[in-house]
Amino acid sequence: MFEGINQIEERREVSHSKLRITSNIFVLIMLALWTVVNLFQGAYTDLSADESYYYVLSQNPSWGYFDHPPMNMWLIFLSTGIFGNSELGIRLLTILLQPVYLYLFWLTIKTERSHMRSALTFILLAVSMPMLQIWGWVSTPDAPLMMFSILLLWAYKRFLESNSLSDALLMGVSVALLGYSKYHGALFLVFLLASNRRLFLSWKFWIGMILAAVLFFPHIYWQYMNDWVSFRYHLSGRTNSFEWENFWIYIINLLTTFNPFLVVVLIAFMVKGALPSRDDVGRSMKWIMWGFLLFFLWSVRNVHVQAQWLILVSFPVMYFIFVASETRPHLKHYVNVLGVWMLVVFGVARVVLIAAPADFLRFDMHGSKPVYKEFAQKLDSIPFIGNSNYQFSSKLAYYGDIDTYGRPSLDCRSSHYEFLDMEDSYKGKTVAVEISQYAMDEHRKGIPLSDTLISQRTEKKIVLEPKKHVVKLNVQDTSIIRRNYHYDTILGYEIVWDTIQNYLPTEKVSIKASGFPSKIHSADIVIADFEVSNPYDYDIPIEGPFSYKLYMNVRYGRFSSFLMWIGWSGNQKYLPAKSLYKFKKEIHFPEMIPSGAGTYGFTIARLPYGSWYNSNRYNITITNVKNIGGEEKQQLFR
């Protein structure tokens, strides 16, 4: 019976070729309506913390950024330049990308038998994908990633059909734009090419790839000039030790983020070994799906894999289910009914996100605007310097309308604020400074902030439960500082801050150290030579209360570090302006220093205020002699 229905549909398609045009127009109309919904959503929903950060970066156009390639920031720069810096102005170009790549995907996967019911199934299938619902209007790098991945897939199909140089060049342009969007795009390209190695025999294909390399070269040059900072961060800066929690989160994400009601259908095809694949596009979908799933399964051994990293798997899921539904009317019916239900569910969720009272629903993207405004008023609109909280600082700048700086911190990680020459603008001003995780932990232990003691004749192990950070301090100054800190909770985020008058920037102080071996044992003594350059036109205090101390920070993985007080040599009380201070220092490594491979660097800091490195970072391996056997320990000290 079902075969008869399909034959009737095929005859109608052949005899009425206009039906194909009508199905295309139907898809366009539905995508236009979807876009209108996204426009309302984008206009009346608060910016996420990430979006506010990307907005700050977009005001400083560049060929590269610390966290990502520049495409998303370029889109925001263009969008806000034309339509203003409202929420919709920031998101507009992102929103307009979705109907384009979904229509291109429709043109790529539809068949000769695809008719009006097929077009409806395609739209309802897209509606059922949570990834497309969320990242269709939120301005993140995932939007251009999807856009140019599908543009590449469409160009790839055209090239296979035409073998024309123009389509090969279109592939090259797509590859370059994909590279400028997000580094995960490299996986999409690799798996696409692996699915059809015959491409490597085509000279036209190579012309397209040469064009891609030429177009992408400015970003590579930016990385070279900035010590390959993005690549180093993504390849090693996000890594940590294996946790089973990361594995189970990955599995849960697979079952939920692509809609579990669709995933069960896909799993059924996998169990039967019958994933529908009719041509080169289908083969590429298999490579892309399995490639992404296995690559990130392998990655969970030392990385927390975020759900959106798998966003491109949405398209193979759609492809396999759509193609299967073309010959299985019962599956087509299932997808259509599911799509209608998902339309209702996501529709209600969107209305609640826009219309719910701020006091009823308050989180990052709803009800946050008045919270940041209130905090800015509490600061009396003085500049705010965050301690690694680049997202919080960015959102405070946008909604609080004050100057902020998300200074990188030894407590956590860097961001592109490292490359923004902002701290100098606060010289001599009264600023609010977020203090380090140390005092926050003291507060969690029940010590009132007004009585928080920073005693530097102690060894403290600090465990910060929410993010499982481990920060160890080994500081040895005899001074004790009493301060009345300010404490706030903003959308679940704890923030401790203090007001500093006559703020002195120190980020441009340069520290060079020599004499450190690449391998060190606890209790070792190292005699090091230091050169500390002060390029500023003011003296920096290095002795007495509220002075800047010299520290060495050893970082193990993403969230674990050891901060060790080094101290100055001699009787100097200041780093003189425009001077170079040279000295030799005998450094005793404490027995409690953790073992492991990591990196180290140097900073001048005023605890408990945060700081960032004033030196380059170098690789180091540390062995804790307390953790090894007696015979091996004897070998170390022979």
Side-chain angles (χ1 to χ4, degrees):
M1 172 179 163
F2 290 148
E3 292 180 0
I5 294 174
N6 289 333
Q7 291 173 0
I8 293 172
E9 294 286 359
E10 287 183 39
R11 286 196 295 270
R12 288 177 178 175
E13 186 67 30
V14 172
S15 60
H16 301 286
S17 60
K18 292 183 179 180
L19 266 176
R20 285 199 297 271
I21 300 175
T22 304
S23 63
N24 290 349
I25 293 175
F26 177 79
V27 169
L28 287 172
I29 293 172
M30 293 298 101
L31 291 178
L33 293 175
W34 190 343
T35 302
V36 171
V37 173
N38 283 343
L39 289 172
F40 276 100
Q41 194 80 60
Y44 295 103
T45 306
D46 292 353
L47 292 182
S48 67
D50 277 335
E51 287 179 293
S52 58
Y53 173 57
Y54 298 140
Y55 167 70
V56 170
L57 301 192
S58 73
Q59 306 309 297
N60 299 270
S62 174
W63 284 104
Y65 295 91
F66 175 86
D67 318 75
H68 296 291
M71 180 60 70
N72 186 53
M73 278 58 79
W74 290 350
L75 292 174
I76 296 174
F77 176 77
L78 291 174
S79 188
T80 54
I82 300 172
F83 303 103
N85 63 351
S86 65
E87 287 90 346
L88 182 58
I90 290 172
R91 294 167 168 156
L92 186 58
L93 290 184
T94 293
I95 292 171
L96 296 180
L97 287 182
Q98 188 170 64
V100 177
Y101 66 71
L102 284 178
Y103 185 68
L104 289 178
F105 190 54
W106 159 254
L107 295 180
T108 302
I109 69 174
K110 72 169 189 170
T111 67
E112 290 185 355
R113 69 174 61 195
S114 296
H115 42 78
M116 282 291 294
R117 288 188 61 196
S118 301
L120 177 63
T121 299
F122 174 81
I123 292 297
L124 292 174
L125 186 58
V127 166
S128 302
M129 301 297 294
M131 290 288 192
L132 299 184
Q133 288 280 354
I134 298 171
W135 276 275
W137 55 272
V138 178
S139 189
T140 69
D142 301 288
L145 173 70
M146 290 188 284
M147 170 70 228
F148 297 117
S149 296
I150 297 306
L151 180 63
L152 173 60
L153 184 67
W154 181 64
Y156 166 72
K157 180 182 180 182
R158 286 173 56 91
F159 178 69
L160 294 181
E161 294 172 348
S162 68
N163 194 32
S164 68
L165 181 59
S166 61
D167 287 326
L169 295 176
L170 180 59
M171 284 184 64
V173 172
S174 303
V175 168
L177 295 175
L178 184 58
Y180 278 116
S181 298
K182 199 171 184 179
Y183 296 120
H184 294 166
L187 296 176
F188 189 91
L189 174 64
V190 168
F191 299 137
L192 178 67
L193 298 182
S195 72
N196 189 353
R197 292 182 290 275
R198 292 172 299 168
L199 286 172
F200 296 105
L201 302 177
S202 170
W203 65 268
K204 295 176 182 177
F205 164 78
W206 285 109
I207 294 295
M209 294 304 101
I210 291 172
L211 175 61
V214 171
L215 294 176
F216 196 61
F217 177 77
H219 179 68
I220 296 298
Y221 182 73
W222 183 92
Q223 291 290 345
Y224 168 75
M225 294 299 295
N226 290 279
D227 196 26
W228 310 100
V229 61
S230 303
F231 299 152
R232 286 191 292 105
Y233 167 65
H234 286 289
L235 293 174
S236 61
R238 308 181 76 129
T239 58
N240 210 350
S241 57
F242 173 76
E243 295 182 14
W244 277 105
E245 178 185 4
N246 289 341
F247 172 78
W248 293 116
I249 289 176
Y250 176 75
I251 298 300
I252 292 171
N253 283 340
L254 289 184
L255 297 176
T256 58
T257 54
F258 304 112
N259 192 325
F261 299 102
L262 295 176
V263 171
V264 294
V265 175
L266 202 62
I267 292 176
F269 282 123
M270 292 178 183
V271 171
K272 294 179 180 179
L275 279 178
S277 172
R278 62 174 184 264
D279 54 16
D280 289 320
V281 171
R283 187 162 55 250
S284 70
M285 290 288 98
K286 282 186 178 179
W287 274 85
I288 290 166
M289 184 182 72
W290 286 113
F292 269 88
L293 295 181
L294 294 177
F295 177 85
F296 285 111
L297 176 62
W298 174 73
S299 298
V300 298
R301 75 193 196 284
N302 57 9
V303 173
H304 168 65
V305 176
Q306 300 176 23
Q308 70 270 23
W309 294 0
L310 296 165
I311 197 167
L312 292 182
V313 179
S314 301
F315 297 109
V317 171
M318 288 182 63
Y319 171 84
F320 292 124
I321 294 177
F322 176 79
V323 171
S325 71
E326 289 287 75
T327 57
R328 296 171 174 84
H330 58 292
L331 178 58
K332 187 186 294 285
H333 177 73
Y334 173 82
V335 172
N336 290 348
V337 172
L338 176 64
V340 172
W341 278 107
M342 290 297 101
L343 188 62
V344 173
V345 171
F346 288 127
V348 171
R350 284 173 175 263
V351 171
V352 170
L353 188 57
I354 292 175
D359 293 335
F360 173 76
L361 180 65
R362 192 184 295 277
F363 72 110
D364 185 34
M365 298 180 71
H366 185 80
S368 64
K369 188 185 305 184
V371 176
Y372 283 93
K373 287 183 177 180
E374 180 182 352
F375 184 66
Q377 292 171 356
K378 182 178 291 189
L379 295 175
D380 198 19
S381 297
I382 63 175
F384 174 83
I385 300 176
N387 184 52
S388 123
N389 287 306
Y390 58 94
Q391 296 165 314
F392 176 84
S393 299
S394 302
K395 197 160 183 180
L396 180 61
Y398 184 80
Y399 284 123
D401 195 26
I402 63 174
D403 289 336
T404 65
Y405 174 54
R407 176 175 55 199
S409 169
L410 303 176
D411 292 337
C412 190
R413 53 157 280 193
S414 183
S415 69
H416 195 76
Y417 274 104
E418 180 183 347
F419 297 89
L420 301 180
D421 190 11
M422 299 178 67
E423 192 177 17
D424 285 356
S425 64
Y426 305 135
K427 173 189 171 184
K429 295 182 179 180
T430 298
V431 299
V433 180
E434 183 181 5
I435 69 174
S436 70
Q437 299 283 4
Y438 172 75
M440 290 176 63
D441 187 69
E442 294 292 283
H443 176 69
R444 289 193 185 97
K445 288 187 286 187
I447 302 174
L449 290 171
S450 59
D451 296 330
T452 298
L453 303 182
I454 305 303
S455 173
Q456 298 175 322
R457 176 77 67 182
T458 60
E459 294 183 351
K460 295 181 180 290
K461 180 178 180 181
I462 302 167
V463 180
L464 304 179
E465 294 296 339
K467 292 188 178 179
K468 299 184 178 179
H469 297 208
V470 177
V471 181
K472 296 186 179 180
L473 301 179
N474 177 44
V475 289
Q476 302 163 6
D477 187 353
T478 57
S479 64
I480 296 177
I481 304 172
R482 285 183 182 270
R483 299 288 291 173
N484 291 315
Y485 300 121
H486 305 278
Y487 173 80
D488 287 279
T489 300
I490 300 177
L491 298 178
Y493 172 74
E494 293 179 287
I495 179 169
V496 185
W497 56 281
D498 193 14
T499 301
I500 296 180
Q501 297 179 342
N502 192 26
Y503 182 76
L504 295 181
T506 58
E507 66 175 1
K508 292 183 179 178
V509 170
S510 173
I511 300 174
K512 295 181 180 180
S514 59
F516 286 86
S518 60
K519 295 183 179 180
I520 289 179
H521 310 295
S522 62
D524 273 359
I525 298 175
V526 173
I527 299 177
D529 292 300
F530 286 90
E531 293 184 3
V532 183
S533 173
N534 176 13
Y536 295 103
D537 58 2
Y538 48 82
D539 299 341
I540 298 175
I542 60 174
E543 287 295 334
F546 309 110
S547 59
Y548 289 86
K549 311 298 184 184
L550 176 62
Y551 298 94
M552 176 179 178
N553 190 64
V554 182
R555 176 165 288 282
Y556 309 82
R558 187 179 183 187
F559 290 132
S560 180
S561 64
F562 186 90
L563 185 66
M564 186 170 71
W565 177 73
I566 300 295
W568 305 100
S569 181
N571 298 317
Q572 283 191 232
K573 294 186 177 181
Y574 295 91
L575 290 178
K578 304 289 185 181
S579 70
L580 180 65
Y581 179 25
K582 296 183 179 182
F583 61 93
K584 190 180 293 287
K585 187 72 177 179
E586 185 177 276
I587 301 171
H588 296 252
F589 281 80
E591 290 188 0
M592 52 102 60
I593 191 169
S595 297
T599 61
Y600 73 92
F602 300 90
T603 182
I604 63 172
R606 287 174 58 184
L607 290 181
Y609 310 119
S611 67
W612 185 240
Y613 294 101
N614 294 99
S615 71
N616 292 329
R617 279 153 279 175
Y618 306 94
N619 294 325
I620 192 171
T621 301
I622 294 177
T623 303
N624 191 319
V625 296
K626 283 188 174 183
N627 298 331
I628 60 177
E631 183 176 337
E632 187 178 358
K633 187 181 297 185
Q634 292 178 7
Q635 292 288 336
L636 291 175
F637 293 100
R638 284 181 180 175

